[in-house]
Amino acid sequence: MKVKVIVTLKNGVLDPQGKAIQQTLNGMTFENVSEVRQGKFFDIEVNESDENKAKSQVEEMCKKLLANLVIEDYKIL
Amino acid sequence: MKSSVIIFPGSNCDRDMDVALKKFGFENQMVWHNDANIPKSDLIVLPGGFSYGDYLRCGSIAGKSRIIKSVVNFANSGGLVLGICNGFQILTETGLLPGILQQNKYLNFICKNVFVKIKNKENKYFKNINKEVLELHIAHNEGNYFCSKEELKSIEDNGQIAVTYCDDKGNDDEYNNPNGAIKNIAGIFNKEKNILGMMPHPERMIDPFLSGEDGSLFFENLIGNV
């Protein structure tokens, strides 16, 4: 089954790319954009039919590799 | 004295490091990332470069490579482990050093000479260097050191800050911070001070025909203390 994961920077961690995107959007007439936070999206195919098992495996993957918990949070969709 | 430089796919400062170590008397050997064991060494160096193309996060893939278990065991038994630039990023990703190196604050790749202030000399890396400020070279896109407030306090309390970015007089204030690193941190130790990670490249400053010789002071001191 397919498991989707989003990894984002934690609140309070500086996101210079997000900031640059926000400023560019502001300059493109989207003046009402007050913040952009950039993240990563993972589409993971796990050879496992049990959804709970697959998700708990992906959770391990997030903790061990996909996210660095010093600055990032993960969310399994 | 024996040293080992680990080569990852994408390392590009491994040969410079090999030249530097040999110049100052180390018997150096190159070790491939997919090897299981490291030959007997007094010092292990993780060199600069772009291991695994900097995929996912800088140093994250290298931090899971086969050789890393041996590096971690060596470090945990008190062995000297030095990570320069990408090597520093790998050390944070393995958890051997706290914090993480984020993208530079102004999103630019920085390649220039900088001054760094030595903050702690009670360790083998800086013990007998009789200068407070060194001129070294940096070349990185992700050198913006970050850690949580709690971690920062613990790093400061334990004297783990090794070097900070400064001017030629040693002022390590925000005006002399090239990449946004918290507290101008350019390099840190683990608690025991046997592991050092730093963004500046001492191996690039070992010859007057290059841009300077302060890197020589670093290696001369190191071989004397290993």
Side-chain angles (χ1 to χ4, degrees):
Chain A
M1 68 170 293
K2 204 167 250 188
V3 182
K4 297 172 192 290
V5 177
I6 289 181
V7 173
T8 50
L9 285 170
K10 285 183 175 169
N11 282 338
V13 174
L14 185 75
D15 179 6
Q17 289 194 73
K19 188 86 190 152
I21 294 165
Q22 179 225 323
Q23 287 169 349
T24 305
L25 287 171
N26 290 157
M28 290 168 66
T29 74
F30 299 105
E31 293 97 349
N32 58 353
V33 176
S34 57
E35 191 179 26
V36 175
R37 305 283 287 169
Q38 187 179 272
K40 291 176 187 146
F41 175 74
F42 300 89
D43 211 351
I44 304 170
E45 187 70 48
V46 188
N47 292 329
E48 173 62 65
S49 49
D50 183 327
E51 187 180 338
N52 286 336
K53 268 191 193 166
K55 286 194 170 172
S56 84
Q57 268 193 315
V58 169
E59 175 134 27
E60 277 296 296
M61 295 175 203
C62 289
K63 286 179 184 164
K64 290 184 174 166
L65 181 69
L66 302 181
N68 183 316
L69 301 181
V70 176
I71 50 164
E72 293 171 327
D73 284 327
Y74 63 88
K75 197 173 181 183
I76 298 167
L77 303 179
Chain B
M1 293 299 146
K2 287 187 175 170
S3 57
S4 293
V5 173
I6 315 288
I7 310 171
F8 299 97
S11 294
N12 64 7
C13 303
D14 45 325
R15 288 182 64 193
D16 294 32
M17 185 54 80
D18 179 57
V19 169
L21 290 165
K22 285 175 178 163
K23 180 174 179 180
F24 295 96
F26 282 94
E27 197 182 310
N28 187 54
Q29 52 220 328
M30 307 302 274
V31 179
W32 186 233
H33 71 107
N34 208 23
D35 289 354
N37 296 304
I38 294 169
K40 195 177 176 329
S41 309
D42 302 294
L43 168 74
I44 293 176
V45 183
L46 305 182
F50 302 84
S51 60
Y52 298 89
D54 281 346
Y55 293 168
L56 190 61
R57 293 177 308 277
C58 300
S60 64
I61 310 281
K64 307 292 176 204
S65 61
R66 195 166 179 223
I67 198 73
I68 284 297
K69 275 186 190 160
S70 302
V71 176
V72 171
N73 288 340
F74 179 81
N76 287 339
S77 61
L80 293 185
V81 178
L82 170 66
I84 301 295
C85 197
N86 187 227
F88 184 12
Q89 295 163 344
I90 295 169
L91 287 173
T92 61
E93 281 287 344
T94 57
L96 285 172
L97 291 176
I100 188 172
L101 282 313
Q102 284 191 280
Q103 189 168 29
N104 296 338
K105 189 174 176 186
Y106 301 108
L107 300 172
N108 51 349
F109 186 95
I110 305 169
C111 181
K112 64 174 187 178
N113 284 3
V114 292
F115 293 98
V116 294
K117 186 176 188 174
I118 303 170
K119 301 292 272 190
N120 184 345
K121 287 192 178 181
E122 287 169 31
N123 55 79
K124 292 187 173 174
Y125 295 98
F126 298 103
K127 198 175 175 184
N128 298 319
I129 297 180
N130 53 16
K131 265 177 127 176
E132 306 309 312
V133 173
L134 299 178
E135 185 180 12
L136 295 175
H137 191 81
I138 54 169
H140 60 245
N141 194 51
E142 285 86 5
N144 177 359
Y145 183 78
F146 179 85
C147 62
S148 68
K149 277 182 188 162
E150 299 74 38
E151 265 178 325
L152 182 62
K153 187 175 182 314
S154 138
I155 287 169
E156 288 184 307
D157 290 350
N158 292 311
Q160 286 175 250
I161 301 179
V163 280
T164 51
Y165 299 107
C166 63
D167 62 10
D168 56 348
K169 309 274 189 309
N171 298 310
D172 52 356
D173 52 26
E174 60 182 297
Y175 302 106
N176 296 294
N177 186 335
N179 54 23
I182 199 164
K183 294 265 175 182
N184 283 39
I185 289 174
I188 56 165
F189 303 107
N190 62 333
K191 272 185 194 157
E192 293 75 20
K193 320 287 184 301
N194 60 309
I195 307 172
L196 168 65
M198 62 177 184
M199 293 313 294
H201 291 264
E203 77 278 13
R204 293 188 186 180
M205 306 290 267
I206 57 161
D207 192 306
F209 287 111
L210 298 175
S211 45
E213 285 192 286
D214 278 2
S216 303
L217 303 176
F218 178 81
F219 289 104
E220 278 164 6
N221 170 70
L222 193 54
I223 186 94
N225 287 321
V226 170

